[in-house]
Amino acid sequence: RLGVQSLNSSLKQKQVTPFEERVYSLCTNIPIGKVATYGEMARALNSSPRAVGQALRKNPFAPEVPCHRVIAADLRLGGFSGEWGEGTCMVQKKLRLLEEEGVVFSHRAEPPPPPPPPAPAA
């Protein structure tokens, strides 16, 4: 795990915005074997889930800043390294990282079934 002092030193060497610095710092607080959602992070930062996702997409400190521990609000994996969708190579890597850390997916999120067709007019 990247220590606070080491993270601060690394942040000064990399070109990151103050917002990205806050996102990366918060992300280091997610324990191994746990996840947070983009929305939870956004609320803690008084921001938006999309802004958090964009910052994590550019994370130059992975895996020390464990952006793979941030998932979508519907408990899908979300994106990883700029890729989106559970069938992509990078998102599969995110899944493997989480499983190696002990995150258990009791069921894979499936899209909801389509709504039933409207009843015929009488």
Side-chain angles (χ1 to χ4, degrees):
R1 181 175 167 162
L2 193 63
V4 173
Q5 196 169 32
S6 180
L7 177 60
N8 287 336
S9 174
S10 295
L11 288 169
K12 289 175 184 164
Q13 294 173 356
K14 302 280 185 176
Q15 295 280 348
V16 298
T17 67
F19 175 73
E20 290 167 346
E21 184 176 341
R22 291 174 47 223
V23 171
Y24 303 151
S25 180
L26 180 61
C27 194
T28 63
N29 292 314
I30 305 169
I32 293 172
K34 302 292 183 184
V35 295
T37 67
Y38 295 100
E40 289 169 336
M41 297 227 359
R43 281 187 293 282
L45 296 165
N46 198 25
S47 183
S48 73
R50 191 169 297 249
V52 169
Q54 288 301 310
L56 292 175
R57 178 182 189 187
K58 299 188 288 185
N59 175 12
F61 307 109
E64 290 83 10
V65 173
C67 54
H68 63 280
R69 296 184 190 146
V70 184
I71 63 173
D74 64 2
L75 304 183
R76 292 177 193 249
L77 292 174
F80 192 58
S81 295
E83 292 185 7
W84 189 266
E86 293 191 21
T88 64
C89 187
M90 292 309 294
V91 175
Q92 286 300 306
K93 180 180 178 181
K94 180 177 184 173
L95 174 62
R96 281 192 306 277
L97 288 168
L98 291 170
E99 288 177 337
E100 287 170 6
E101 292 182 347
V103 176
V104 176
F105 294 92
S106 60
H107 65 283
R108 302 298 298 149
E110 296 292 329

